[in-house]
Amino acid sequence: MPTYSGFPDPGSTTATALNTTSASYIGGSLTSTSNIFQDSLSNSDRNDYYKFTLNSSSIVTLSLTGLAANSDANLILTDNTGATITAPNLSGNASENIRFTLNNQPSNTYYARIYLVTGTVSTTYNLTMSAEAIQDSGIADDTITLANTNRDISASVNAGSYSATDFVASTGKGNITDPSDYYKFTLNNNGTIGINLNPSTGNADIQLLNSSGQSLQPAATSTQTGTNLDSISRSLAAGTYYVQVYANADSTNYNLQVNFTADPVDQGGNTLATATTINLPATISDIVSTVDTQDYYKFTLTSTALVDVKFTSLSADANLTLQNQNGSNIVTTSQSGTTLDEIRRSLNPGIYNILVTPGAGTTTANYTLSVVAQTIGADQAGNSQGAAQNLGILNSSISRSEFVGNIDTNDYYKFNLNSTSSFNLTLSGLSDNADVQLIRGSNGQTIPYTNQTGSTNETITNLPLSAGTYYIRIYPSGSAETFYNLDITAQPQAQQLEINPGSGSSNPKNLTVWGNTLYFTANDGTTGIQLWKSDGTTNTRITNNSGFNPDALIVFNNKLYFTATDSTYGTELWQYDGTSVTRISDINLNIDSSYPSNFTVVGNKLFFTAVDSSNTRKLWVYNSTSVSLVDINPGFSSSQSPTFTAFNSKLFFTAKNNTQLWSTDGTIGGTQVISVGGTTQSYPANFRVVDSTLYFTASNATSGYEVWKYQSGTTASLLKDITPGNNGFAPTYLTAVGNTLYFVTDSNNDFNLELWKSDGTANGTVIIKTDGQAPNVGLGFFFLTAVGNILYFVGNDPVTGLELWRTDGTDANTLLVKDIWTGTNASSQPNNSIPTSLVNFNSTLAFAASDGSNREVWFSDGTTANSRKVSNINATGNANPDRLTVVGTQLFFTANNGTNGTELYVL
């Protein structure tokens, strides 16, 4: 910005004016560059004239500033004759400004006059001068009619952009006036128009008009002050519009830019009737605006589903509404700004609509819409306690996967505990907030529990629950909609049923099931060994006879039979009918004892052996009325216990020093010898009935000890000669699993026991896995026990030792269940958990095992994960559980807690 001072005093007339066009100053006509002249006025110099010229019609800007205080000078714009064109005539030392449009007259000469107002002695001043050439296009466009003819910019706008430079000036602001410029454009498509007006030196504004030249509703105008940029952005439907550029009490050149972005092809129908059909899952990109205010999408659910409708991107505020088939609103979300709206709703099969609308004040919103449906399976859990899904007795792990939400607000599960248990629950897989309620009994007593917020897992850990009925309620928090995984476990807590108080042991034995009650013998430390019963809560002593010593309990014809001793008749057969105890026999008369044993029930008869007055052990039978002798010759060895079993409504047994196989129906005539290989000394043993066949081990003195089978008649047959030669090791642990016989033998005398199975034929009698391959290694195969169609056993492995195994009869599925006691001992040999007392506890295997910490009760479903210790009776030693006995839903056993001796326990 050039500044001039110290120049000769400007003349006081036009003839003597300072010529600014000289090379000493501007060096030509005024330009847009401002030039400052600094001088002063006084009583002797009251007028200063400055001469300037223009190259073209221009907007001239003159400014008088820097007046002294208490002074007054005025600024006047004159023509080449000195006649006044315009003057602000402000009083005092206020700055004065002139902005005026001037024609490029023939002389092209004008003057700026500064004069001192009467009464003012003197003042300094600054005169600033510039001129901007008017860039008027010369197009006649100051009305809409003219714009239709002369200013149709449609082609450029539809192509994307238009740019023009022009001029507007208000009336009274100069010799040149052009109050408005109009531009016409016709849009071929809906879209977004962007209009920018950039004034150069003065103020101008814009507005967008409809095809009639009227303001849009709402109005589309921009009235920024001064030279600030004016902008309009508006969504427009296809049609004709006008842009008006107008001077706002000013004059200025300007640059106008009009940009247009056509909307993409409309994806959503504009009415419910024209809704666009979509197939799920769907992703849609579209626009809603002041022109396209509604996008409808229609979808059909063929099954119950969780529907997730959400924006994945937004350029401006837009809202979502989910409607039913008739257009009634189900739920609406209207997040502000570009926050992404989402609707998550469970819906029944049917037709639904999605409506997308622009938010308040939004002109255009680009959006991407995602619609996903996740099928909800048939509801398995009832919606009330009365309709709860019954999980039965909870004594292991149970898992369920379900859904709760708008269409299924409650899921109830019912379970029972037969004993005090440690309860655990996990609710996982949540995408929204679901809560848990644990209820005791049908009266709705809620067990206190704190629920988590959001999608955090819900957990209940080691909550002690007494025996009884419980309900689990899963429900959504508020409007939550979520799938879930429910996992629950109950670990029974062993309850001691102490009989001998204090540190003494009651040593319960003969654990026998009669109905839903356990009967057994025990010593309370006061009355000696007596007959007892227990319901799992209370122990009741049945007898109180000195020296009674009941033993060998068996249930026959809905009564309990056993041996017992009194001072008059010795040890004989007794009966308990649920009310009273009665002696049944006195086989060895008076004080002498018959010592009954080998009790075996065959139909409606109870067989046993007993010693009569001849001091010979013989076979006897009781038919619920009388005891009679089944006299066979020869009898039983006094030094060995015979083997008895029931088969085909007869008693099969060993006699003649256990060397022969016999059968009887309880009569002399119905008693016979069964031939085993034609020898009189076959030594039958290990009886096992499988379906319609009696299996046992015996030797024919030629093939050695092998498995034999019998079905009817008087002759048994060899199943298969497995071990060559006249071997001396008999197969053992004959066990039935369905129609399959399992047993253990040594097929090649290499001292590796092997597991075999048989379907009753020689070809179907085969080894499981390979000899010498675990578990067919060394010592093993104890306690073969069937649970369903699975055989559990104690097998040997050089790596894991004696542990729990299982098989379904195939090599592939003959597996170690769990290495319960891991690691090796001081001799670098594997630790052995040695499971014992294996029993089928309501389709779960129960057993005793050592894990290196203590020996307790374990449960297993055949998997490693669900093989777990369920008691902690002796935390610092071995409880040594034994005699595991199932009574309904209860498991009784004996154990020692290290303080109270060996007592009765129940799970």
Side-chain angles (χ1 to χ4, degrees):
M1 186 181 294
T3 302
Y4 308 100
S5 61
F7 45 81
D9 183 57
S12 57
T13 66
T14 57
T16 60
L18 178 70
N19 185 4
T20 64
T21 65
S22 71
S24 300
Y25 308 110
I26 297 174
S29 298
L30 286 182
T31 65
S32 59
T33 301
S34 296
N35 295 272
I36 301 174
F37 293 86
Q38 298 177 336
D39 206 3
S40 60
L41 297 172
S42 64
N43 283 332
S44 60
D45 180 18
R46 304 189 69 86
N47 282 282
D48 282 348
Y49 279 84
Y50 294 84
K51 176 183 177 180
F52 64 89
T53 61
L54 300 174
N55 282 334
S56 61
S57 297
S58 302
I59 304 168
V60 174
T61 301
L62 305 177
S63 177
L64 178 64
T65 61
L67 299 179
N70 300 319
S71 64
D72 188 1
N74 290 333
L75 175 63
I76 300 173
L77 174 62
T78 71
D79 61 16
N80 61 346
T81 66
T84 298
I85 297 175
T86 184
N89 291 322
L90 299 179
S91 62
N93 65 343
S95 298
E96 296 194 6
N97 297 286
I98 294 175
R99 182 174 172 81
F100 210 77
T101 58
L102 296 175
N103 290 321
N104 185 14
Q105 60 186 8
S107 66
N108 199 28
T109 301
Y110 295 91
Y111 296 91
R113 175 192 171 199
I114 302 170
Y115 71 95
L116 192 64
V117 177
T118 302
T120 297
V121 176
S122 64
T123 184
T124 59
Y125 64 82
N126 297 324
L127 172 64
T128 304
M129 306 172 67
S130 65
E132 180 185 8
I134 293 174
Q135 300 179 25
D136 187 60
S137 64
I139 297 174
D141 57 6
D142 55 350
T143 66
I144 285 178
T145 301
L146 291 172
N148 289 333
T149 304
N150 302 326
R151 280 285 196 178
D152 190 338
I153 61 173
S154 299
S156 296
V157 171
N158 282 300
S161 65
Y162 169 79
S163 180
T165 299
D166 213 323
F167 164 81
V168 286
S170 298
T171 303
K173 294 298 180 179
N175 297 331
I176 304 172
T177 60
D178 186 5
S180 293
D181 287 345
Y182 288 88
Y183 299 81
K184 172 188 177 183
F185 61 88
T186 300
L187 299 179
N188 298 328
N189 300 290
N190 296 351
T192 301
I193 201 78
I195 304 171
N196 293 322
L197 179 71
N198 190 8
S200 60
T201 57
N203 186 22
D205 296 322
I206 53 174
Q207 66 174 329
L208 185 59
L209 307 174
N210 63 19
S211 59
S212 300
Q214 305 298 315
S215 294
L216 296 180
Q217 295 300 321
T221 62
S222 178
T223 57
Q224 296 294 320
T225 60
T227 59
N228 291 318
L229 179 70
D230 287 279
S231 294
I232 294 174
S233 179
R234 191 68 170 264
S235 293
L236 298 177
T240 298
Y241 301 89
Y242 296 91
V243 178
Q244 180 190 9
V245 181
Y246 59 96
N248 189 352
D250 206 345
S251 57
T252 186
N253 294 313
Y254 65 83
N255 176 255
L256 176 69
Q257 292 183 341
V258 182
N259 300 307
F260 176 67
T261 302
D263 289 346
V265 176
D266 194 15
Q267 301 295 317
N270 295 326
T271 65
L272 183 66
T274 61
T276 300
T277 299
I278 58 175
N279 296 317
L280 305 187
T283 300
I284 306 151
S285 294
D286 206 348
I287 292 174
V288 284
S289 64
T290 54
V291 175
D292 183 10
T293 58
Q294 296 185 133
D295 279 353
Y296 281 92
Y297 301 94
K298 177 171 66 177
F299 65 91
T300 300
L301 294 178
T302 58
S303 61
T304 303
L306 176 60
V307 177
D308 197 4
V309 183
K310 63 182 178 181
F311 291 129
T312 57
S313 67
L314 271 179
S315 65
D317 190 12
N319 300 321
L320 284 174
T321 299
L322 179 64
Q323 299 177 334
N324 64 16
Q325 183 176 4
N326 299 321
S328 297
N329 292 353
I330 297 174
V331 62
T332 296
T333 176
S334 53
Q335 298 290 331
S336 60
T338 56
T339 301
L340 299 175
D341 294 75
E342 179 176 5
I343 293 174
R344 186 175 173 86
R345 191 77 167 196
S346 52
L347 300 172
N348 289 311
I351 298 173
Y352 297 90
N353 297 289
I354 300 168
L355 172 60
V356 182
T357 55
T362 296
T363 56
T364 300
N366 294 277
Y367 66 83
T368 299
L369 180 68
S370 169
V371 188
V372 178
Q374 188 174 356
T375 299
I376 300 172
D379 190 21
Q380 301 298 315
N383 297 326
S384 64
Q385 283 186 239
Q389 181 183 149
N390 192 351
L391 303 178
I393 299 168
L394 183 61
N395 53 22
S396 60
S397 298
I398 293 179
S399 298
R400 292 292 185 270
S401 294
E402 260 282 9
F403 172 87
V404 285
N406 169 63
I407 63 170
D408 185 9
T409 56
N410 286 291
D411 278 354
Y412 280 90
Y413 300 91
K414 175 184 177 182
F415 66 90
N416 289 289
L417 296 176
N418 287 331
S419 62
T420 299
S421 302
S422 178
F423 177 76
N424 294 272
L425 176 150
T426 300
L427 191 71
S428 61
L430 302 174
S431 58
D432 208 339
N433 189 7
D435 292 329
V436 176
Q437 187 179 24
L438 186 59
I439 303 167
R440 187 193 308 273
S442 57
N443 60 359
Q445 178 189 357
T446 300
I447 298 173
Y449 163 67
T450 301
N451 286 290
Q452 302 296 315
T453 59
S455 58
T456 303
N457 289 354
E458 303 286 345
T459 57
I460 299 176
T461 304
N462 295 329
L463 179 65
L465 296 179
S466 59
T469 300
Y470 295 86
Y471 296 87
I472 300 169
R473 176 193 173 208
I474 312 296
Y475 60 99
S477 177
S479 59
E481 308 261 6
T482 184
F483 292 90
Y484 65 83
N485 299 320
L486 174 65
D487 296 284
I488 57 174
T489 61
Q491 181 168 309
Q493 301 298 290
Q495 304 297 305
Q496 185 188 67
L497 302 169
E498 189 177 26
I499 295 171
N500 190 349
S503 59
S505 297
S506 66
N507 289 318
K509 296 180 181 178
N510 296 297
L511 276 64
T512 304
V513 182
W514 181 17
N516 292 320
T517 304
L518 178 74
Y519 291 82
F520 58 98
T521 60
N523 188 339
D524 62 4
T526 302
T527 61
I529 299 174
Q530 300 293 337
L531 182 64
W532 290 73
K533 68 178 181 178
S534 178
D535 61 4
T537 302
T538 303
N539 298 323
T540 302
R541 188 180 65 232
I542 297 172
T543 61
N544 189 17
N545 302 335
S546 176
F548 198 50
N549 294 326
D551 197 7
L553 278 61
I554 189 170
V555 176
F556 168 60
N557 278 356
N558 201 32
K559 294 178 183 178
L560 186 68
Y561 291 83
F562 53 93
T563 66
T565 304
D566 70 7
S567 58
T568 302
Y569 298 99
T571 302
E572 295 290 346
L573 178 64
W574 289 70
Q575 166 195 287
Y576 173 63
D577 61 5
T579 303
S580 59
V581 174
T582 305
R583 180 176 52 80
I584 297 299
S585 67
D586 185 19
I587 293 174
N588 200 347
L589 300 176
N590 301 321
I591 191 62
D592 293 326
S593 298
S594 67
Y595 302 112
S597 63
N598 306 107
F599 291 133
T600 304
V601 175
V602 182
N604 60 358
K605 297 176 183 178
L606 175 64
F607 289 90
F608 59 96
T609 63
V611 177
D612 62 9
S613 57
S614 66
N615 202 31
T616 302
R617 183 165 291 278
K618 298 179 180 180
L619 179 65
W620 297 78
V621 63
Y622 176 61
N623 62 5
S624 297
T625 302
S626 60
V627 174
S628 58
L629 175 67
V630 183
D631 196 8
I632 64 170
N633 186 24
F636 301 100
S637 168
S638 59
S639 61
Q640 294 177 310
S641 176
T643 302
F644 280 24
T645 194
F647 175 64
N648 280 356
S649 300
K650 292 183 178 181
L651 175 71
F652 285 73
F653 59 97
T654 57
K656 196 180 179 181
N657 293 328
N658 294 338
T659 62
Q660 291 182 325
L661 177 62
W662 292 66
S663 71
T664 184
D665 63 0
T667 67
I668 298 296
T671 302
Q672 63 180 3
V673 176
I674 307 299
S675 175
V676 179
T679 180
T680 59
Q681 292 185 327
S682 61
Y683 296 98
N686 300 306
F687 291 168
R688 181 64 60 193
V689 175
V690 182
D691 200 13
S692 61
T693 303
L694 173 65
Y695 294 93
F696 57 95
T697 59
S699 173
N700 61 4
T702 302
S703 303
Y705 285 95
E706 299 289 352
V707 177
W708 290 69
K709 64 179 182 177
Y710 170 82
Q711 290 181 319
S712 63
T714 59
T715 303
S717 60
L718 178 66
L719 175 64
K720 183 173 184 174
D721 187 0
I722 296 175
T723 306
N726 190 15
N727 66 294
F729 179 82
T732 58
Y733 300 111
L734 276 64
T735 304
V737 182
N739 294 325
T740 301
L741 173 73
Y742 288 86
F743 58 93
V744 176
T745 192
D746 180 1
S747 66
N748 55 5
N749 297 308
D750 65 352
F751 301 102
N752 283 323
L753 296 182
E754 308 139 14
L755 181 64
W756 287 67
K757 69 174 182 178
S758 178
D759 62 0
T761 68
N763 289 336
T765 302
V766 295
I767 190 173
I768 298 175
K769 288 207 164 183
T770 304
D771 184 22
Q773 174 190 12
N776 299 327
V777 179
L779 183 68
F781 300 107
F782 305 122
F783 311 113
L784 277 63
T785 303
V787 178
N789 62 351
I790 300 298
L791 176 74
Y792 291 89
F793 58 91
V794 179
N796 190 23
D797 185 307
V799 176
T800 59
L802 291 168
E803 296 289 348
L804 181 67
W805 285 66
R806 57 166 285 173
T807 185
D808 63 0
T810 66
D811 287 1
N813 292 325
T814 301
L815 306 166
L816 172 71
V817 175
K818 186 182 182 74
D819 186 4
I820 293 173
W821 189 351
T822 60
T824 57
N825 57 26
S827 302
S828 298
Q829 297 299 309
N831 291 317
N832 303 304
S833 72
I834 312 179
T836 58
S837 197
L838 280 64
V839 66
N840 181 351
F841 181 34
N842 298 322
S843 299
T844 295
L845 181 73
F847 58 98
S850 301
D851 63 359
S853 298
N854 49 24
R855 188 169 183 84
E856 296 284 345
V857 178
W858 287 65
F859 286 171
S860 177
D861 66 355
T863 66
T864 301
N866 288 328
S867 298
R868 65 196 193 283
K869 183 163 60 177
V870 297
S871 70
N872 191 26
I873 296 169
N874 191 339
T876 58
N878 291 318
N880 292 322
D882 196 11
R883 298 186 173 89
L884 274 65
T885 304
V886 177
V887 182
T889 59
Q890 295 177 301
L891 179 68
F892 290 87
F893 57 95
T894 62
N896 190 325
N897 65 4
T899 302
N900 303 113
T902 301
E903 294 289 347
L904 185 67
Y905 285 80
V906 66
L907 276 168

